Amino acid sequence: MSWTLTADDVRDLARGAAVLGTGGGGDPHVGALLAEQAIIAHGPVDVVPLNKLPDNAMVVMVAMMGAPTVMVEKLPSLDEVRAAVRAVETALPDGPITHIVCAEIGGVNSTLPVAAAAALGLPLVDADAMGRAFPELQMVLPTLSGIAASPVSFADEKGNVGVLQTVDNSWAERIARVACVEMGCTIMIALFPQRGAQARTTMVEDSVTRAVQVGRAITESRGANQDPVASVVDVLGGRELFAGKVVDVQRSTTAGFARGRSRIEGTNETLELSFQNEHLVAQSGATVLATTPDLIMVLEHDSGEPITTEGLHYGQRVRIIAAPSDPRWHTAQALQMVGPAYFGYAVPGHRFDGSPDHPTEEDVT
Amino acid sequence: MSWTLTADDVRDLARGAAVLGTGGGGDPHVGALLAEQAIIAHGPVDVVPLNKLPDNAMVVMVAMMGAPTVMVEKLPSLDEVRAAVRAVETALPDGPITHIVCAEIGGVNSTLPVAAAAALGLPLVDADAMGRAFPELQMVLPTLSGIAASPVSFADEKGNVGVLQTVDNSWAERIARVACVEMGCTIMIALFPQRGAQARTTMVEDSVTRAVQVGRAITESRGANQDPVASVVDVLGGRELFAGKVVDVQRSTTAGFARGRSRIEGTNETLELSFQNEHLVAQSGATVLATTPDLIMVLEHDSGEPITTEGLHYGQRVRIIAAPSDPRWHTAQALQMVGPAYFGYAVPGHRFDGSPDHPTEEDVT
């Protein structure tokens, strides 16, 4: 069923997306501010279920690329959003863009498309391309279905715009990433134009609704004196991995990414979290508790407030929870793209039920 | 008068352009091979004088961007040339490209446009945008006239293509340069689309003819047992600065450029040449003999064969000659863009007649 996303929904969406962003995707307040501003100026946004998308719709993803550590200091504008979408539209041979969709349901990139939809007067699809957040632009389920990211556009706050037509989605990532670094470590991108018929099969449905539910679960639990962390675990069908105090955070911004590690000290054990924009591996000593592509989330101990990797600091009391990813991320092909080995972590792949992430015969097809 | 450039002219053009390229612009044989191949496949190229260009012609520059040290190992193809030109054409709001022109009259970038013109079946304008070669894309006379480089396209041998619309020509250089490095240190670019009426006032006329004359002067002098170096000096209205033996060459390829220095030992004195793709400063002790924007060229002592900066090596017997640049390069605005200080050389600006390069009142307008 279609629904209308108002300025009041934006805070819940942003909070829920910060949870689902697994530490990455940038400060949710940045995108929330922009989305609220756009809705106030241009009216609320129609949210259309993925399965109601007409075959000949033209759907495009809008996202911010860059280092979240920079994003919090350099606010995006609606001009950049519009410039990026219009640049893809100009490069498309057949017809206008009819719908906006999220590339990831995480942080700023879940609220930015709301701003884009409002500013452009287009409906938003209740979906995203990951069911979580990942650091590189080719890391979306449509890539696994052979959908081209191109034409990929990028725009900066100065007014520079570019459009790429690349031979594969990894080249789109490589060229856009160096442009991003040169242009000041954040750019607005529009990419993966798809017909409605394609999008219905390649995307994760109900993502925007789920993010709002997660955000609302936190605020409502607080109001009802219930445990917000337990409510989030419940909504996501996940589990709590660990509770403790942040005792160490190491981070560096290299090649446009925020990379690092944090240590959380519990009663008897220590948890180590590794991140590259997003939390990717949680391990306690030699025991791997969860790995990418499943979701690893850090929430403030009592309030359940999600903490981004750049918001982590010494002394925070936190709880670490995990939730299963979209099952398509556990195929052999997908794990090559987003498994722990791709990010340089020498830990075995790991399914959410604890079984090893061995590709099965039917995955390899 | 229009003339026809045949495969036979290409060798003279390439040799002359290697001289005028002042050590940069890449190995002329690379572009010559491609131009010959294109002319054999598609027929000779009509060369149109700049002052005969119709007002509403649409002229575009075609060039290779990258490090000459890499260019010699990675041959370009006609596919890349066509892809770059077509990408600019698609981004232009009004009408097809009617003419190809050289961005610089130096090395590979003087013969590549011949290949482009042949492959696309378009005439070549007898002109270039510098009257020499410079290392960065915004360093052309049209920039001084406020002409935008955008839309700038780039294409690589893999099939990746991009189009940029930038707020100024330095941003086009910055973004294209990082893309170039990521794409393997050489890309084909098409840029500075201009109407004929604009091009007639912003470009340097007769450049292709001049390059052919310089190349022919070398081969004809050799045949007539005359001094080829003296013939080149004569054609260019230049002078010989120094003769000696190369005793040291230091070079590094950084950020997409070939940077370095060479020392040439004469009878009593030593000459030091500094280059960044092109030779930019010639000095003997504290005495500056010539600097950018004037042309500094290294020729083999007896044969007059031009030597590129990447072809310089220990033991070569060489003669260094200089020639005056287009006078528009000596205005204050131009010197900010291409004077010695821009390239990081702490030497005073210097006119070809030996007077200091002080901007005059009328230059500053």
Side-chain angles (χ1 to χ4, degrees):
Chain A
M1 204 185 63
S2 293
W3 55 284
T4 302
L5 198 156
T6 66
D8 288 342
D9 298 317
V10 170
R11 292 283 139 175
D12 284 330
L13 169 63
R15 183 170 279 124
V19 173
L20 294 166
T22 65
D27 188 326
H29 295 297
V30 175
L33 285 172
L34 200 68
E36 284 170 350
Q37 175 197 331
I39 289 174
I40 289 164
H42 304 279
V45 170
D46 288 333
V47 183
V48 182
L50 185 62
N51 62 16
K52 289 284 186 295
L53 212 50
D55 280 0
N56 64 347
M58 180 54 81
V59 188
V60 75
M61 301 180 198
V62 178
M64 190 158 220
M65 173 181 258
T69 40
V70 174
M71 237 177 253
V72 294
E73 297 178 15
K74 201 173 120 190
L75 295 181
S77 79
L78 292 178
D79 287 343
E80 290 164 68
V81 177
R82 271 188 287 247
V85 173
R86 289 301 175 216
V88 164
E89 194 165 60
T90 305
L92 283 175
D94 43 0
I97 288 163
T98 60
H99 292 74
I100 300 294
V101 72
C102 299
E104 57 187 358
I105 194 77
V108 71
N109 282 337
S110 311
T111 41
L112 261 179
V114 174
L120 293 158
L122 294 175
L124 181 74
V125 186
D126 196 351
D128 82 306
M130 304 185 195
R132 50 163 298 158
F134 276 126
E136 300 182 17
L137 77 73
Q138 81 279 14
M139 295 175 172
V140 294
L141 293 167
T143 294
L144 299 178
S145 302
I147 306 289
S150 297
V152 176
S153 70
F154 52 87
D156 71 10
E157 76 289 355
K158 292 171 280 291
N160 295 308
V161 178
V163 180
L164 303 174
Q165 293 274 4
T166 60
V167 292
D168 63 36
N169 295 350
S170 295
W171 270 109
E173 161 66 25
R174 287 178 64 172
I175 301 171
R177 187 68 57 180
V178 293
C180 171
V181 173
E182 186 67 19
M183 292 163 94
C185 265
T186 62
I187 49 176
M188 200 71 66
I189 58 176
L191 66 174
F192 282 102
Q194 294 179 83
R195 287 286 171 207
Q198 291 175 310
R200 287 203 308 269
T201 67
T202 62
M203 304 290 283
V204 179
E205 63 182 355
D206 300 334
S207 308
V208 180
T209 295
R210 192 176 315 113
V212 171
Q213 284 171 343
V214 169
R216 207 155 278 166
I218 294 174
T219 42
E220 289 179 357
S221 299
R222 285 181 200 164
N225 268 328
Q226 289 166 344
D227 178 11
V229 176
S231 301
V232 171
V233 167
D234 199 43
V235 172
L236 295 179
R239 67 163 174 268
E240 188 168 338
L241 297 181
F242 201 84
K245 195 180 83 167
V246 179
V247 294
D248 190 30
V249 185
Q250 290 171 24
R251 58 167 74 84
S252 62
T253 300
T254 51
F257 292 112
R259 292 194 170 91
R261 267 186 313 197
S262 62
R263 276 193 307 128
I264 294 107
E265 224 165 65
T267 321
N268 299 310
E269 289 172 304
T270 301
L271 186 80
E272 186 169 289
L273 289 175
S274 302
F275 56 87
Q276 179 172 325
N277 287 16
E278 283 75 38
H279 290 298
L280 296 173
V281 178
Q283 58 190 128
S284 175
T287 309
V288 175
L289 299 178
T291 71
T292 172
D294 291 323
L295 288 72
I296 301 167
M297 295 152 278
V298 179
L299 307 180
E300 203 276 324
H301 193 283
D302 297 329
S303 70
E305 196 65 29
I307 302 174
T308 59
T309 56
E310 70 270 18
L312 273 179
H313 61 78
Y314 178 85
Q316 283 169 325
R317 289 177 59 243
V318 297
R319 285 151 81 181
I320 289 81
I321 66 171
S325 73
D326 186 284
R328 288 172 282 183
W329 283 125
H330 281 280
T331 61
Q333 185 200 358
L335 289 170
Q336 279 185 8
M337 195 195 290
V338 299
Y342 177 87
F343 295 103
Y345 303 116
V347 299
H350 178 285
R351 286 175 188 265
F352 191 71
D353 63 9
S355 66
D357 221 343
H358 285 308
T360 60
E361 200 73 22
E362 62 269 30
D363 288 337
V364 188
T365 52
Chain B
M1 205 185 64
S2 293
W3 55 284
T4 303
L5 197 156
T6 67
D8 288 342
D9 298 317
V10 170
R11 292 282 140 176
D12 284 330
L13 170 62
R15 184 170 278 124
V19 174
L20 292 167
T22 64
D27 188 327
H29 296 297
V30 175
L33 285 171
L34 200 68
E36 283 170 351
Q37 175 196 331
I39 288 174
I40 289 164
H42 303 281
V45 171
D46 288 333
V47 183
V48 182
L50 184 63
N51 63 16
K52 289 282 185 295
L53 212 50
D55 280 0
N56 65 345
M58 180 54 81
V59 188
V60 75
M61 301 179 199
V62 178
M64 190 157 221
M65 173 181 258
T69 40
V70 173
M71 238 177 251
V72 294
E73 296 178 17
K74 201 173 122 190
L75 294 182
S77 79
L78 292 178
D79 287 343
E80 289 164 69
V81 177
R82 271 187 288 248
V85 173
R86 289 301 173 218
V88 164
E89 194 165 61
T90 306
L92 283 175
D94 43 359
I97 287 163
T98 60
H99 293 74
I100 300 294
V101 71
C102 299
E104 56 187 359
I105 194 76
V108 70
N109 282 337
S110 311
T111 41
L112 262 179
V114 174
L120 293 158
L122 294 175
L124 181 73
V125 186
D126 195 352
D128 82 305
M130 302 184 197
R132 49 163 299 156
F134 275 126
E136 300 182 17
L137 78 74
Q138 80 280 11
M139 295 174 172
V140 293
L141 292 168
T143 295
L144 300 179
S145 303
I147 306 289
S150 297
V152 175
S153 70
F154 52 87
D156 71 10
E157 76 290 356
K158 292 170 280 291
N160 295 309
V161 178
V163 180
L164 304 175
Q165 293 273 3
T166 60
V167 292
D168 62 37
N169 296 350
S170 296
W171 270 107
E173 160 67 25
R174 288 179 62 173
I175 301 170
R177 186 69 57 179
V178 292
C180 171
V181 173
E182 186 67 20
M183 292 162 94
C185 266
T186 62
I187 49 177
M188 201 70 68
I189 58 176
L191 66 172
F192 282 101
Q194 294 179 82
R195 287 287 171 205
Q198 291 175 311
R200 287 204 308 271
T201 67
T202 62
M203 305 289 283
V204 179
E205 63 183 354
D206 301 333
S207 309
V208 180
T209 295
R210 193 176 314 114
V212 172
Q213 283 171 345
V214 169
R216 207 155 280 166
I218 294 174
T219 42
E220 288 178 357
S221 299
R222 284 183 202 162
N225 267 330
Q226 290 165 343
D227 178 10
V229 176
S231 301
V232 171
V233 166
D234 200 42
V235 171
L236 294 179
R239 68 162 173 270
E240 188 169 338
L241 298 181
F242 201 84
K245 197 178 84 166
V246 179
V247 293
D248 190 30
V249 186
Q250 289 172 24
R251 60 167 72 84
S252 63
T253 299
T254 50
F257 293 110
R259 292 193 170 91
R261 267 186 313 197
S262 63
R263 274 193 307 127
I264 293 106
E265 224 166 63
T267 320
N268 299 310
E269 291 172 303
T270 300
L271 186 81
E272 186 168 290
L273 288 175
S274 302
F275 57 86
Q276 178 173 326
N277 288 17
E278 284 74 39
H279 290 298
L280 296 174
V281 179
Q283 57 190 127
S284 175
T287 309
V288 176
L289 300 178
T291 71
T292 173
D294 291 323
L295 286 72
I296 301 167
M297 294 153 278
V298 179
L299 306 181
E300 204 276 323
H301 192 283
D302 296 330
S303 70
E305 196 65 27
I307 303 174
T308 58
T309 56
E310 70 269 18
L312 273 179
H313 61 78
Y314 177 86
Q316 282 169 325
R317 289 178 59 244
V318 298
R319 285 151 81 181
I320 288 81
I321 66 172
S325 74
D326 187 284
R328 288 171 282 184
W329 283 126
H330 280 281
T331 60
Q333 185 199 358
L335 289 170
Q336 280 185 8
M337 196 196 288
V338 299
Y342 178 87
F343 295 103
Y345 303 117
V347 299
H350 178 284
R351 286 174 187 263
F352 191 70
D353 62 10
S355 66
D357 220 345
H358 284 310
T360 58
E361 200 73 20
E362 62 268 30
D363 289 338
V364 187
T365 54

